Amino acid sequence: MEVEDPLTPSTRATEALLMGLRLAEGVDLDRITALNAGVVPVDLAAVARLENLGLIAHTPGRLRVTEAGALLLDAILPEIVTA
């Protein structure tokens, strides 16, 4: 018998963020924040640093990994995800 535990809002937001950043369109930060009870599960200082390096594109309400950043995605994710 398999038992599944429900995901916490924080875990749900983190999973949505991790999966969404693998997509070309990135993630809707407002949606991710809403899943996480109003808390942005992203280190905005790290996002700014990576944006300056051309690895992430951050526009109001949206975060996506650039083509150059996609090559380094596994290294980028632990830098920006706070939850």
Side-chain angles (χ1 to χ4, degrees), residues 4-82:
E4 292 184 24
D5 292 326
L7 297 176
T8 66
S10 175
T11 301
R12 218 172 328 149
T14 299
E15 290 294 321
L17 181 62
L18 294 173
M19 297 306 290
L21 286 174
R22 296 183 185 283
L23 303 174
E25 64 269 13
V27 296
D28 178 341
L29 285 178
D30 294 333
R31 181 179 165 273
I32 299 295
T33 301
L35 286 172
N36 197 30
V39 178
V40 181
V42 172
D43 181 342
L44 295 175
V47 167
R49 187 178 72 253
L50 293 167
E51 186 174 25
N52 287 335
L53 294 172
L55 301 174
I56 287 183
H58 182 218
T59 56
R62 182 148 300 276
L63 185 65
R64 69 176 182 82
V65 177
T66 65
E67 191 173 321
L71 299 172
L72 302 168
L73 185 60
D74 289 338
I76 289 172
L77 291 175
E79 292 291 318
I80 64 171
V81 177
T82 59

